[in-house]
Structure formats: structure tokens, C-alpha cells
Amino acid sequence: MMRTLLTAGLIGAAAGAAAQPPQTYPLKDFFRNPERGFFRLADDGRSLGFMQPVSVDGQPARMNIYVQPLADGKPQGEAQQLTHESARDISNFFWKGNHTVLYQKDFGGDENFHVVAVDTRNGKVTDLTPFDGVRAGIEDDLPDDPDHILLSHNQRDPQVFDVYRVNVHTGQATRVAENPGNVVGWQTDHQGRVRAAITSDGLNTTLLYRDDEQSPFRPLITTDYRTSVSPALFTFDDKRLYALSNRGRDRLALVEIDPARPDDETLIFEPGTVDLDAAGYSRKRKVLTLAAYQTDKPQYHFFDPETEALYARLARHLPGYELSLQSSNRDEDVFIVAAYNDRTPGARYLYDAARDNLHKLADINPALPEADMAEVRPIQYTARDGLTIHGYLTLPKGRDPKNLACIVNPHGGPWARDSWGYNPEVQFLANRGFCVLQMNFRGSTGYGRKFWEASFGQWGLAMQDDITDGVQWLIDQGIADPKRIGIYGGSYGGYATLAGITFTPELYAAAVDYVGVSNLFTFMQTIPPYWKPLLAKMQDMVGDPERDKERLAATSPALHVDRIKTPLFIAQGAKDPRVNKAESDQVVEALRKRGVEVEYMVKDNEGHGFHNDENKFEFYAAMEKFLTEHLKP
């Protein structure tokens, strides 16, 4: 009864919201890079870094890094272009001290990232990991060491990552921790010393600890992989660990662990109905500041009054928006603030806490008026076995929410989740007249261990039923026209798309598979080498090619293409290291052999998802044409 009432209220609110649908906005307005974004502060707060698209040597515009002086709470003078990348966007960067910025780059989407340092004074670029076929990442930015950072990479052995102290000016590297072959994560203390590690034999996980870098690691806690004890940071005296743990409970909570008594956790904070996502702290004041988690919307629990007061002041300045602090100076009195909601990526501000002064740096997407975008509403429904499934429903603005063309949009992962907020794909589809249903099917993270474990061995089975039950819920509410339902997803969502049209072909009138898994045997044979230590866990969660051969064969869409009758569009990056191009090729070849037309887009300079603007535009234009043709919104 509750379910129907909830939705009746939801439909009534939507129907009265607007009499006229908003104008149709250009596709590029939804998916282009921001004119200015990714604002970051140097340690001293006197320089601002940001990114904006710029064409280098006549190539398509790419996101590159600029720096600009700050004074009196505002940018001053001309911004200086710092990087000149032309092949791919820089996806993120951060400051190291006052005169160096660091970013990661890969080639064609192969995810073998290099770490690059740029000196803001002279523009000198140093590739800190100039190795082919090697994946590198930043372990610790060593804020108290002006010249070094800690990096990890897999040059010595493609399957594992060692830690190196690297000079950001010269690239000179010294190994500080060698991986014995089973370490899947490292943890540093507040002095930048490698003091903890997580090892895995595939099915069991051990937290290792040492008192200093001269001592050998010793095992503290061993659990099976279903139990998580994940170190977040050291206590501020560097003697104990804060960790996200679900030992002895269903959901992740923040705990403190004393290495002398590792089995006695001290509970710091537990959200209650969901997992804890993260904990924040003040490096300057040496206190925990907040815990972040998500129910239907983002939530914060504050540990100290200063942080709570800071957020309260910002909320008075920016009512009606979710807030997050994206960067600060070392003194923690100047901040980059993001303000957003479900209808806009919002704006970014420079906030001077001492003066309580807020200066707008940029609107992230001024081309799309917030008032014309659609509301994203949390919903829930009951799966056929009684499990509650949470999700989000976006109804096209200004249309009667009855008998709509709808897109079912299962997320990737699958051990991830959809969240409330601004999503350009969802808003684009709603602007085109589609309703969009996103659901956190069993296995989605954030809802506790039991909910996650309910997905084990259930690819194409109960996980797929959760999606099917969501479609039925949409039909039962009268929102969806049963003859005009499409399904679209990427990665695992692409698998769910293929499974949907293979195992429930009567349900969908159109399908878009974006870098999706199609064959559970070939998928597990082609994973990157650095996933190999986790292969046993993957086979336990998804299926073992020998032991579960029949089930995997029964749930691999590529082996049942004779059942597919739904119009299908597939998009794939040629350099995808996670979902090999062969996953898409085999479905396309089998369908074409049957004389079934399938639209197929391959991009040679992309990997697991398209990142270059011109490829994104081409993909979404083809998707819009395809869905419009078959679903007639």
C-alpha cells in the first residue's frame, strides 16, 4: 500500500510542476566540458589552478591546466596556461606545495597512467613515471616535504604495485616498499611513512602493520573478503588506525584500531541504515571533521563544531544546494566550495572563512537553466523475493507522467551505486521527453554486506530480476508505456542491457550497450594483469569458469544471441583494458551472421567509456537518434 501512495504523491507533484515542457537544449550543452572547472588552491592560498578546454596545434580542444594569482579573495590578472595536452583531456590535478601541479595521463584510454609534474614558475614538465605499459598512481602527496611524493606503480611486476619516493623536480625515484606479491593496498601515516598494507590471497584479506619503516610488517587482522577492515588514516599521534569496518556488523562504520589489541574496535561513528562512505579530517588542527554517507541524498555527520559552523555559514550563503569542499589552502581558512543539486552541476566559489566572504569563480554549465531541468526523485520498490530496491526516477518536466517512453538505466560496477545529484545523461534524456529509472539492484554498494552478498552468483539472475521488477513497477504505476521502454547502460550496465534483451526480450523496444560485458568466460580471461590477485574473489562473486560452467554459459548473452530481437546499438573503445573489445565484437558478429542489423560504434582512441568531446558528442547523437526512432518519446 505504501508503495502506491508514495508514487501517487510523486505523480501528483510532477503533474502540477509545469504546464509546458521546456525547450529542447542542444546535445552539446549537456556533454561538453565546462568553460572553467576543477578549481584547486595552492598550499599558500596565493595561486588558483583550474582547467579549461583549449585547442593545441589545431587539435580538438582538450581540458588543460591554468594558474592565476589570488589576492583579496579574488583571482587577479591574466591566467597562464600551464599544460598543452592535445590527445586527451586531463581528468584531474592537484597542487604540490606552492609551485608544482601534478596530474595523471593515459594514452587512448588504456588506463596505464603516468604521473606528470609541472613547475608553475617555468613551465617545466617532468614525467615522473615514463614507462610504457605501466600503471602509476599517487599514494601520498607528502605535504611536509617540498620536493617529494610517494607513487606506486607496477613496472617491476605487472601484477603488483611497489611504492617509490619520487623527486617532483627531477623524477629521481627510490623504492620505499617492495610488494611481496600479495599487497593490494598501502597506507601511510601522517609523516608519509608506509606503515600499513592490505594483502589478499584472493579470498582472504589481511591488514599488515609496522611501528616504523625499518621494522617488518606483521599481520594484525585477517578476514574473508566479505568482511572489510579498510584503513582510512592513522590517528594524529600515528600510533593507531582509523578504519572503515563491518567486522561483526552488516554496515561499514568508522572505528579506531589499536595495533596492540587489534580485535577490540572502538566505534567512532555508524550511520545506521547505510554504509559509511568516508571520513574527513583537518591536517592543521589534527581532528576528525566529518563522516560522509548517502541515504537517498548525501549526508554529513560532523565531529567538530568548527567544521559544522563552516558548513552552516556556507548553507546560509547558498540555500537550496548541496555543498562540498573541493580544496583548501594549508591554513584551512580559504576553500573552494562546490554548490550543486539534482538539476544543475551548480557553481564553484572561493570562500574566505576569516572574512566570511564568498566569490563566485564559475557556473559549471550556464547553458542549461536549472529551472528547465528535471527533478530526480528517490523511489523504492519491492523485488519479487521481498527485497527492497532503492533508486531514482526522473520524469520529463512539463509532461503528464502517464504512458511515457522510458529508459531503464542500470549502473556499472556492479559493486557501485547510483546517487542523487546532477547527471547529464539523465537530464539529456528527460529533456528529450523520456522518463529515466535508475535502480540500485542487489549488489549495489552502500546498503550493507547482506545486500551486497545477495548479488553473488546472480549476474543475469536475481540481479537482472531486480531490474525487470523495476520495469514492471514503472508499468504498474502507469508511468511507462509498456511498448516504449528502452534499456541503456555502461560496463556492468551494458551487461545488464544485453541480458535484458536476451532473457526478457519482450520487455524492451530498444537497447544501448556501452562498453558492456557479453561473455562471462572471455571477460574473466582478458582482465588487466593487476586484477589477477583478485581473480579468485571475482570468480567467487561472479562464477568459476569450471565449477559454475553451466550457470555462466546460461547467463552469457553472447552465447544466446539467437534470442535477441530488440533493436540494439553498441559502443566500444578499442583500447578498453577492462571490457575487451572482443566482448562487443562477438555479439555484433553473431547478430550480423543471423542477418540482424546492429548499430556498432568503435573509437580507436578510447578505452572504458568515451572521454574526448568529439567522441562523446557523436555517441550521444547516435544514441538520441536510435532511441527516438524506436521509442518515439
Side-chain angles (χ1 to χ4, degrees), residues 360-547:
K360 187 189 273 195
L361 293 167
D363 286 302
I364 296 302
N365 194 346
L368 298 174
E370 183 181 336
D372 281 355
M373 296 297 106
E375 204 176 316
V376 179
R377 293 182 172 82
I379 56 102
Q380 63 184 63
Y381 59 88
T382 306
R384 63 191 67 182
D385 64 355
L387 200 62
T388 299
I389 305 297
H390 295 268
Y392 299 93
L393 179 65
T394 305
L395 296 167
K397 202 171 165 69
R399 292 174 191 247
D400 193 9
K402 294 186 182 126
N403 285 326
L404 294 169
C406 289
I407 306 295
V408 176
N409 182 211
H411 63 72
W415 304 296
R417 64 161 286 174
D418 275 321
S419 304
W420 185 89
Y422 178 80
N423 180 320
E425 288 187 334
V426 169
Q427 291 297 341
F428 170 64
L429 291 167
N431 185 250
R432 296 312 190 251
F434 295 101
C435 87
V436 183
L437 177 66
Q438 302 165 278
M439 73 289 287
N440 287 317
F441 44 78
R442 70 193 64 207
S444 300
T445 50
Y447 297 96
R449 184 193 344 202
K450 224 167 110 184
F451 190 83
W452 173 61
E453 287 181 0
S455 70
F456 292 4
Q458 295 300 314
W459 285 41
L461 300 169
M463 292 168 80
Q464 197 67 31
D465 291 342
D466 292 345
I467 297 168
T468 304
D469 294 345
V471 177
Q472 196 53 54
W473 176 84
L474 267 183
I475 294 168
D476 290 346
Q477 304 302 324
I479 295 168
D481 176 349
K483 294 187 178 61
R484 293 190 299 150
I485 296 173
I487 183 167
Y488 157 58
S491 197
Y492 176 84
Y495 167 82
T497 294
L498 293 173
I501 61 172
T502 304
F503 307 124
T504 52
E506 70 292 337
L507 214 52
Y508 301 108
V512 181
D513 157 30
Y514 186 37
V515 300
V517 173
S518 73
N519 181 325
L520 296 176
F521 297 100
T522 55
F523 166 61
M524 284 195 265
Q525 285 162 8
T526 55
I527 59 170
Y530 45 85
W531 281 17
K532 288 272 166 42
L534 304 171
L535 188 58
K537 170 179 160 181
M538 189 81 173
Q539 290 179 347
D540 200 55
M541 293 167 72
V542 180
D544 181 286
E546 296 301 320
R547 188 184 65 232

Side-chain angles (χ1 to χ4, degrees), residues 19-33:
Q20 287 296 314
Q23 71 181 74
T24 300
Y25 287 92
L27 176 148
K28 289 182 181 179
D29 287 351
F30 290 90
F31 299 112
R32 69 158 59 98
N33 283 319

Side-chain angles (χ1 to χ4, degrees), residues 498 501-503 505 553-554 556-566 586-587 589-596:
L498 293 173
I501 61 172
T502 304
F503 307 124
S556 290
L559 306 181
H560 305 279
V561 289
D562 55 309
R563 300 187 194 176
I564 294 177
K565 59 185 186 187
T566 307
Q586 55 191 300
V587 174
E589 281 164 25
L591 282 171
R592 287 181 175 166
K593 210 173 273 182
R594 269 179 56 210
V596 176

Side-chain angles (χ1 to χ4, degrees), residues 229-287:
V229 182
S230 176
L233 68 150
F234 274 76
T235 54
F236 299 99
D237 60 6
D238 280 334
K239 291 181 177 169
R240 297 176 308 285
L241 284 162
Y242 290 118
L244 298 187
S245 168
N246 61 7
R247 256 196 311 178
R249 62 175 73 80
D250 185 55
R251 288 175 288 274
L252 288 171
L254 183 66
V255 302
E256 188 179 302
I257 295 169
D258 183 342
R261 296 184 303 279
D263 289 332
D264 302 332
E265 293 181 349
T266 304
L267 183 64
I268 306 295
F269 176 69
E270 185 175 13
T273 58
V274 293
D275 288 316
L276 186 65
D277 287 337
Y281 68 99
S282 162
R283 187 174 265 135
K284 179 187 174 186
R285 294 183 291 118
K286 297 184 167 42
V287 293

